[in-house]
Amino acid sequence: AQTVTQSQPEMSVQEAETVTLSCTYDTSESDYYLFWYKQPPSRQMILVIRQEAYKQQNATENRFSVNFQKAAKSFSLKISDSQLGDAAMYFCAYGGGADGLTFGKGTHLIIQP
Amino acid sequence: SQTIHQWPATLVQPVGSPLSLECTVEGTSNPNLYWYRQAAGRGLQLLFYSVGIGQISSEVPQNLSASRPQDRQFILSSKKLLLSDSGFYLCAWSRQGLKETQYFGPGTRLLVL
């Protein structure tokens, strides 16, 4: 079974600074995909970024980028120029097929003004 | 564009009462559908997924069941609620395929007393 580990229960960063959230996963599959979702206080899960395992190039979406290390099974999220609206729970998730995603326990990101 | 709806938004039910949560998707056909539960301070746990009408896969044994009576409708049910059924229930959809992104609804907060 796949597992996803987020070792940082909480992170704090000053507004406009850069923060990196860590995620590691365990799988025996070679073809899969990884996600970062954001859950603001409204609790709706919002897709931040997606990475295909077969792609060596790291995904980027505006201020959000990932560092995907397939051999190390590591998938970290970097948020540049942090904004107050970035404050939320961030979940790393693994997907291997048409069934559901496996989620980590989340990292609570605090933005200090 | 596609939208996903869940209702009710909040529900307070006594132990032993029945449950019915509904999820509908608009703007797409033949989606994969998913039910997740999020306990307080935890990540999401996949409960059920469906790749078509009447096709339900269960990920964990529990007091809940799911049904898909129509292509874009997914229902989560229980005959008798337990205290441990309290949580935040999220429905998600994806396009058919093996590596499709899942998009989440606004969720239902369930409190069993």
Side-chain angles (χ1 to χ4, degrees):
Chain A
Q2 290 79 18
T3 58
V4 177
T5 302
Q6 293 179 250
S7 58
Q8 305 155 317
E10 186 173 281
M11 292 284 285
S12 181
V13 63
Q14 292 285 337
E15 192 176 4
E17 296 294 310
T18 296
V19 63
T20 298
L21 308 184
S22 301
C23 173
T24 59
Y25 58 95
D26 187 24
T27 183
S28 58
E29 303 293 327
S30 59
D31 189 17
Y32 50 88
Y33 47 124
L34 298 162
F35 301 93
W36 280 97
Y37 282 90
K38 170 185 177 181
Q39 188 178 42
S42 67
R43 300 192 74 178
Q44 179 157 10
M45 298 290 282
I46 301 167
L47 176 69
V48 174
I49 201 164
R50 165 193 166 118
Q51 174 78 43
E52 304 268 4
Y54 72 87
K55 290 185 178 179
Q56 293 187 347
Q57 185 175 5
N58 290 323
T60 299
E61 289 287 341
N62 300 313
R63 297 183 294 108
F64 299 86
S65 61
V66 299
N67 183 5
F68 174 49
Q69 302 290 331
K70 190 173 183 179
K73 296 181 182 175
S74 171
F75 182 59
S76 61
L77 175 69
K78 185 173 80 171
I79 306 174
S80 303
D81 185 24
S82 299
Q83 300 175 0
L84 294 177
D86 295 334
M89 285 292 293
Y90 285 81
F91 292 93
C92 179
Y94 167 100
D99 55 1
L101 300 176
T102 300
F103 284 83
K105 292 187 177 181
T107 296
H108 182 210
L109 179 62
I110 298 168
I111 310 296
Q112 304 279 7
Chain B
S1 63
Q2 299 83 19
T3 55
I4 178 168
H5 304 279
Q6 287 186 244
W7 61 88
T10 304
L11 191 59
V12 180
Q13 292 284 91
V15 170
S17 65
L19 173 75
S20 181
L21 303 181
E22 189 166 342
C23 170
T24 58
V25 181
E26 296 178 354
T28 188
S29 60
N30 199 25
N32 290 339
L33 296 171
Y34 308 85
W35 277 113
Y36 290 87
R37 176 169 58 198
Q38 184 179 27
R42 303 289 299 274
L44 275 66
Q45 178 188 36
L46 178 67
L47 301 177
F48 302 95
Y49 70 95
S50 171
V51 299
I53 296 174
Q55 301 178 60
I56 308 294
S57 296
S58 174
E59 289 296 305
V60 293
Q62 59 210 328
N63 185 41
L64 302 170
S65 61
S67 61
R68 185 170 177 174
Q70 300 180 40
D71 181 44
R72 291 170 290 176
Q73 184 185 33
F74 205 22
I75 296 173
L76 184 68
S77 303
S78 174
K79 293 182 179 178
K80 289 186 177 181
L81 282 168
L82 306 173
L83 288 175
S84 58
D85 291 324
S86 292
F88 189 61
Y89 290 82
L90 285 154
C91 181
W93 76 274
S94 73
R95 292 181 178 84
Q96 288 283 342
L98 295 180
K99 296 191 295 181
E100 295 293 334
T101 297
Q102 294 185 20
Y103 300 94
F104 287 82
T108 294
R109 294 170 177 78
L110 172 65
L111 179 60
V112 182
L113 300 174

